[in-house]
Amino acid sequence: MEKWARILLISLSIITAYFVFAVRDLDFDYDYEKYFPKSDDSMVHFEKFRKEYGEDSNFLLIGLENESGIFDVDFLKKVKSFGDDLNNDTVVEFIASPVHNCGYYKKAGLNGVVFKPYLDLSKSKISEQDSLRIFQNDQITGSLLSKNGKSVCLFVRTQINLNKEEASHILNLIQEKKEEYNFSSFHLAGRILAQTYFVDKMIGELVFFIATSMVLLVLFLYISFRSWWGVVIPLIVVLVSIVWTLAIMLFTGKSFDLLMVMLPTIIFVVGMSDLVHLLAKYLDELRLGKPKNEAIKVAFKEVRWATFLTSLTTAIGFFSLSFANIVPIKEFGIYAGVSVFVAYFLAFTFLPSVLVLVKPPKSLIQSEQNNFWDKYLRGWLIKVFNNRSKVIGLTVVLIGVGVYSANALKIDNYLLEDLSNSDPVKKDVIYFEENFSGLRPFEAEVTSKVTGGVFSYEFLKELEKLEVYLKNKYTNEGVGFLVSPLTVVREANGPQPTCRQLPTSKRRFEALKRQMERGAKQIGGVNLVNGFSLISADSLKCRLTGKVRDVGGFNISKENERLEDFLNENINPDILEFRLTGTAVLIDKNNKTLAKDLIFSLLFAFTIIALVVGLMFRNLKIAILSLIPNVIPLLLVTVVMFIGGIDLKISTSLIFTLAFGIAVDDTIHLLSKYKLERKKGRSHLYALKRSYLSSGKAIIVTTLILIGGFLTLLFSTFTSTYYMGLLVSVTLFFAIVFDLMVMPLIMLYGLKRKK
């Protein structure tokens, strides 16, 4: 036996050493487009939209503040020079600011319409006329110029799909120029910054979680086994499980993302469950006086089936996430499910090999901890039986409360919601929310249904009504930085506020249109405004783009409903057709489908796990009843979310299937032990008592380890990871309580009482 144990241990060690060397090449990724729906009509339309008009999120916003006001020539010259330096870089495609590509269109007779900059920096002072001209332009104020007149915004459009090196290059350049020009107040926000920042934080948190999980598990294992022998051996096996799972990720081309960062912690706590059950049974057999090898055989034989079932049910919980319409969630579920089986395989190969070769300490065998556990578990079981009517009544009440709170949960999401308000990157986002139009893209494609396309007078009249609504009624602040073909016409009609509108008659519009065509070369064409491509190749469709403050997906959904009502009541569908699109719309749509995906995933997990239990006992009644103590914790965690004001979103939706798959393990262990006792000829009540006392200690210890492991996620600076740790821990706590309180009654009345 020792010979084969050595061979197996050496083989597994060689494979692990190779994997350790290989996983150094694992990469980190935060491509938020992976959170978009796939094979969806809205995604198909967005792809066409992006191909026609370009990206909607390849930009950076730079906020520069001057306490004495922005109409200071020296300050503006510094802004101009700063922007010009950035514009010279190959990664930057376009810059807009009050001193970059910002001006008005002036009628120039036979020359048509010519472009004039708003601010003349060749003068020693900005004239009152120039400052009023730019400040009174609602196209600029709130977008490139703060309403208090103290800040300017540089809109920096970059090339699309920058890789990590290119993104780091432009961010380093901005940082270098920031130090060179020494602005008193400097703010930066945008997708490129967020992605780079998230990747750096993910690397730091991955190392932190592995370290804290190890410390916590060492503590729990030492308390449970009172021996370093019971600490080092399980820890080595779990670390090997992590390495193997990371190797599988590498070989299948998967990188770390925001969700996958939690995977090592999950492997730590979930993989430890099998080890604790196997070690506990092994020590119990040793305490009964059996030789080491025989104790290993008995423990292996009795625990392997139960732990296989628990691994299966846990994996089913993870695999059910593959039904989600969001790729990162689907991948997380698949790899987490695979990791469960990796941990199971190593628990019953690596661990037994070590146990064969390593002699356990005598102090551990002679421990009297079992008397402690038996005493309190026996007392708890008697209380449950003596108060069965109260237990049933409380269970019914809690189910009712949970159902109410589950229905009351709100589906909501915010951009950069994973960062706390104290985070420096989030602070800059808040700065742009408070001083400018915000960061959330507002994108729509508008189709002309009349002859003349998007530059027909009838179409532009309808578009004007729509833009007035968007600027004044859409959310509390309206859509800022709103650009469309109508922008070109309004600006070309004159720089004064009274002129900056669509001509009042078709005849005047046609005259202005002819002037615009004559001056097209001077103004850079009518299809490009502030760096935005606006008109489709056939001139029948156009882009309506802007920025709004991030008021949350829930509120945006309500605003879109009101917008739909406005369109139905005020816009002629025979002239104008409107469709929202863009990255923000896709993210919102994903969150709306969460409820359906969640319900389907849970039903799948319920069905498969009930089938597993039913086949194990050939009893449909116990299969259904055994779900009760595992469904109640899910309902109760919705109560916690409701009271705590935690909304349902991508991160919080994961906890239900994840926690259910893990929590049901305790039920499986109780039922499996009961079945083993019945096979030994024990009576129904005796088998129930022995399964409760024998498995009770193991499931309490493993639950504490699980809760402790997930609680380490509370130290995360990512909100989604924090909620994952909090809510899963709460669910597992409720699960162990109801397994010890409700499951004995289900077993008492639901299982057959053969003599």
Side-chain angles (χ1 to χ4, degrees):
M1 192 171 182
E2 291 185 1
K3 174 185 175 182
W4 290 108
R6 284 194 182 91
I7 293 173
L8 182 58
L9 197 59
I10 291 171
S11 300
L12 293 174
S13 299
I14 292 172
I15 295 172
T16 303
Y18 170 71
F19 285 166
V20 169
F21 179 79
V23 295
R24 298 180 305 168
D25 295 329
L26 262 178
D27 201 2
F28 291 81
D29 176 40
Y30 187 74
D31 183 1
Y32 77 99
E33 290 193 13
K34 291 181 179 178
Y35 289 85
F36 295 166
K38 301 300 176 185
S39 303
D40 180 86
D41 177 62
S42 59
M43 186 64 191
V44 173
H45 177 262
F46 175 67
E47 291 290 356
K48 293 179 180 178
F49 177 87
R50 182 158 56 178
K51 187 176 181 180
E52 185 77 60
Y53 306 104
E55 293 282 346
D56 67 340
S57 57
N58 58 322
F59 65 87
L60 287 165
L61 297 183
I62 301 174
L64 305 173
E65 191 171 334
N66 191 35
E67 279 300 322
S68 61
I70 69 150
F71 297 113
D72 179 293
V73 173
D74 292 335
F75 170 73
L76 291 174
K77 283 183 177 179
K78 195 158 68 164
V79 172
K80 179 74 165 61
S81 181
F82 173 78
D84 289 344
D85 287 349
L86 297 182
N87 203 30
N88 290 331
D89 193 85
T90 55
V91 172
V92 177
E93 291 187 343
F94 179 85
I95 288 185
S97 80
V99 289
H100 295 91
N101 299 301
C102 185
Y104 60 94
Y105 303 114
K106 182 178 180 181
K107 298 174 185 176
L110 295 177
N111 290 327
V113 179
V114 295
F115 181 82
K116 295 284 186 180
Y118 272 117
L119 301 173
D120 186 357
L121 300 185
S122 63
K123 299 178 181 178
S124 60
K125 186 178 181 181
I126 302 296
S127 68
E128 183 177 349
Q129 181 182 5
D130 285 347
S131 61
L132 283 175
R133 184 183 289 119
I134 188 173
F135 203 75
Q136 290 175 347
N137 188 337
D138 60 0
Q139 189 70 30
I140 297 170
T141 304
S143 299
L144 300 178
L145 174 66
S146 65
K147 291 181 180 180
N148 63 8
K150 292 186 177 182
S151 304
V152 298
C153 174
L154 274 73
F155 174 87
V156 182
R157 196 184 71 192
T158 66
Q159 295 178 358
I160 62 173
N161 299 325
L162 297 183
N163 58 38
K164 186 177 180 181
E165 290 73 23
E166 291 170 329
S168 298
H169 163 73
I170 187 61
L171 293 175
N172 290 336
L173 177 63
I174 291 173
Q175 181 64 29
E176 177 188 320
K177 294 300 176 183
K178 169 192 171 183
E179 295 174 0
E180 178 182 335
Y181 286 94
N182 193 29
F183 290 102
S184 59
S185 179
F186 187 96
H187 304 273
L188 177 66
R191 170 186 170 181
I192 300 167
L193 173 65
Q195 287 185 187
T196 305
Y197 186 69
F198 269 68
V199 168
D200 292 340
K201 288 183 75 68
M202 280 192 292
I203 295 172
E205 294 212 343
L206 176 62
V207 175
F208 175 78
F209 287 147
I210 291 177
T212 52
S213 297
M214 286 179 63
V215 171
L216 203 64
L217 286 176
V218 166
L219 179 63
F220 274 114
L221 288 170
Y222 188 76
I223 293 173
S224 301
F225 295 106
R226 302 287 181 175
S227 166
W228 288 110
W229 177 91
V231 172
V232 175
I233 294 176
L235 200 59
I236 291 173
V237 178
V238 173
L239 287 173
V240 171
S241 300
I242 292 176
V243 171
W244 281 44
T245 303
L246 297 182
I248 292 172
M249 287 175 56
L250 175 69
F251 298 145
T252 54
K254 175 61 183 169
S255 302
F256 272 110
D257 56 31
L258 188 57
L259 292 177
M260 298 300 288
V261 165
M262 295 182 286
L263 189 58
T265 301
I266 291 173
I267 299 171
F268 253 114
V269 295
V270 174
M272 192 61 70
S273 176
D274 296 340
L275 300 171
V276 169
H277 282 285
L278 183 56
L279 279 175
K281 184 61 181 175
Y282 169 62
L283 293 173
D284 287 342
E285 295 301 315
L286 289 176
R287 288 171 185 140
L288 292 174
K290 293 181 180 178
K292 183 178 68 172
N293 288 353
E294 186 179 345
I296 293 173
K297 289 179 181 178
V298 173
F300 187 91
K301 182 179 178 181
E302 291 198 9
V303 175
R304 65 177 178 179
W305 178 241
T307 50
F308 173 76
L309 289 176
T310 57
S311 296
L312 178 63
T313 53
T314 302
I316 288 170
F318 286 124
F319 286 143
S320 66
L321 296 175
S322 62
F323 292 104
N325 197 30
I326 303 173
V327 171
I329 293 179
K330 185 178 298 189
E331 291 178 341
F332 173 77
I334 292 172
Y335 283 99
V338 169
S339 72
V340 172
F341 286 118
V342 169
Y344 175 80
F345 170 76
L346 291 170
F348 286 88
T349 54
F350 202 104
L351 179 59
S353 301
V354 174
L355 294 180
V356 168
L357 299 173
V358 177
K359 186 178 180 180
K362 290 183 179 180
S363 59
L364 195 60
I365 300 173
Q366 297 169 356
S367 173
E368 296 182 357
Q369 290 182 67
N370 279 355
N371 294 333
F372 168 84
W373 289 102
D374 284 355
K375 175 184 174 182
Y376 286 99
L377 286 171
R378 185 179 288 108
W380 181 255
L381 182 61
I382 292 171
K383 286 182 180 180
V384 168
F385 284 159
N386 289 340
N387 297 276
R388 63 193 74 180
S389 58
K390 293 180 181 179
V391 170
I392 294 172
L394 177 63
T395 301
V396 172
V397 170
L398 291 177
I399 289 175
V401 173
V403 169
Y404 171 81
S405 61
N407 288 326
L409 284 183
K410 184 174 68 173
I411 300 176
D412 203 2
N413 63 285
Y414 290 83
L415 301 180
L416 292 185
E417 63 186 356
D418 278 320
L419 301 179
S420 67
N421 288 342
S422 61
D423 188 277
V425 170
K426 188 66 172 287
K427 282 183 177 180
D428 278 350
V429 171
I430 294 172
Y431 172 83
F432 286 103
E433 294 278 323
E434 293 176 347
N435 292 279
F436 297 96
S437 304
L439 236 69
R440 181 187 173 100
F442 179 91
E443 295 287 343
E445 186 173 52
V446 190
T447 303
S448 173
K449 312 291 281 188
V450 295
T451 305
V454 297
F455 273 109
S456 65
Y457 187 67
E458 296 80 7
F459 172 79
L460 291 174
K461 285 287 287 183
E462 296 298 299
L463 184 59
E464 185 176 46
K465 288 191 290 184
L466 174 60
E467 287 198 9
V468 169
Y469 174 86
L470 292 174
K471 288 180 179 179
N472 299 294
K473 300 286 184 66
Y474 192 86
T475 73
N476 293 333
E477 301 294 330
V479 181
F481 209 17
L482 194 61
V483 179
S484 75
L486 180 61
T487 307
V488 181
V489 177
R490 292 171 71 245
E491 294 295 322
N493 200 32
Q496 301 304 323
T498 54
C499 300
R500 198 179 296 112
Q501 58 186 354
L502 186 67
T504 54
S505 69
K506 186 173 183 178
R507 181 181 61 81
R508 291 182 177 179
F509 167 71
E510 292 296 337
L512 175 62
K513 188 177 176 181
R514 288 192 292 271
Q515 285 185 310
M516 290 170 59
E517 289 170 350
R518 287 197 300 270
K521 291 183 179 180
Q522 284 84 350
I523 66 173
V526 295
N527 187 39
L528 201 67
V529 177
N530 287 339
F532 294 106
S533 180
L534 296 176
I535 304 171
S536 64
D538 57 10
S539 298
L540 297 178
K541 297 179 180 180
C542 67
R543 177 185 190 179
L544 182 63
T545 181
K547 299 283 184 294
V548 294
R549 294 189 179 182
D550 188 16
V551 295
F554 180 82
N555 290 325
I556 288 291
S557 177
K558 296 298 182 185
E559 291 294 338
N560 289 341
E561 290 175 7
R562 287 190 279 270
L563 173 59
E564 187 68 29
D565 292 339
F566 170 82
L567 292 168
N568 293 333
E569 295 170 6
N570 299 278
I571 301 299
N572 188 343
D574 296 327
I575 297 176
L576 184 149
E577 185 180 280
F578 177 87
R579 179 168 183 174
L580 284 170
T581 188
T583 54
V585 169
L586 293 174
I587 292 173
D588 291 343
K589 184 167 184 178
N590 269 348
N591 280 276
K592 287 181 181 178
T593 63
L594 279 178
K596 181 182 71 174
D597 290 344
L598 172 62
I599 292 171
F600 189 82
S601 296
L602 282 174
L603 288 176
F604 173 79
F606 290 165
T607 303
I608 299 300
I609 291 172
L611 182 63
V612 169
V613 177
L615 289 174
M616 184 170 69
F617 284 91
R618 295 179 177 85
N619 187 330
L620 180 61
K621 182 171 68 173
I622 193 65
I624 296 173
L625 290 175
S626 64
L627 293 178
I628 293 175
N630 298 292
V631 172
I632 297 174
L634 302 184
L635 293 174
L636 292 182
V637 84
T638 66
V639 177
V640 175
M641 294 174 66
F642 179 74
I643 295 173
I646 303 172
D647 299 321
L648 195 62
K649 57 193 74 179
I650 289 177
S651 54
T652 54
S653 67
L654 291 178
I655 66 105
F656 294 96
T657 48
L658 189 155
F660 176 75
I662 298 174
V664 79
D665 292 358
D666 298 341
T667 303
I668 299 292
H669 278 292
L670 285 170
L671 291 172
S672 297
K673 182 60 179 175
Y674 172 88
K675 188 176 181 180
L676 284 172
E677 292 295 332
R678 292 289 277 165
K679 282 184 177 181
K680 293 176 182 179
R682 314 296 191 190
S683 68
H684 171 65
L685 283 175
Y686 186 84
L688 196 161
K689 185 192 75 169
R690 287 311 310 160
S691 64
Y692 193 87
L693 298 181
S694 177
S695 297
K697 172 194 171 183
I699 64 176
I700 290 174
V701 171
T702 54
T703 299
L704 289 175
I705 290 174
L706 287 165
I707 291 174
F710 279 105
L711 283 177
T712 62
L713 300 179
L714 296 182
F715 296 102
S716 174
T717 55
F718 293 130
T719 305
S720 60
T721 308
Y722 173 88
Y723 283 143
M724 175 75 78
L726 173 66
L727 297 177
V728 171
S729 298
V730 169
T731 308
L732 293 177
F733 172 77
F734 287 140
I736 187 63
V737 170
F738 281 93
D739 266 319
L740 295 176
M741 186 171 72
V742 177
M743 199 59 203
L745 298 180
I746 291 174
M747 295 169 70
L748 179 66
Y749 296 113
L751 293 171
K752 295 179 181 179
R753 303 188 184 187
K754 291 181 180 178
K755 292 184 180 180

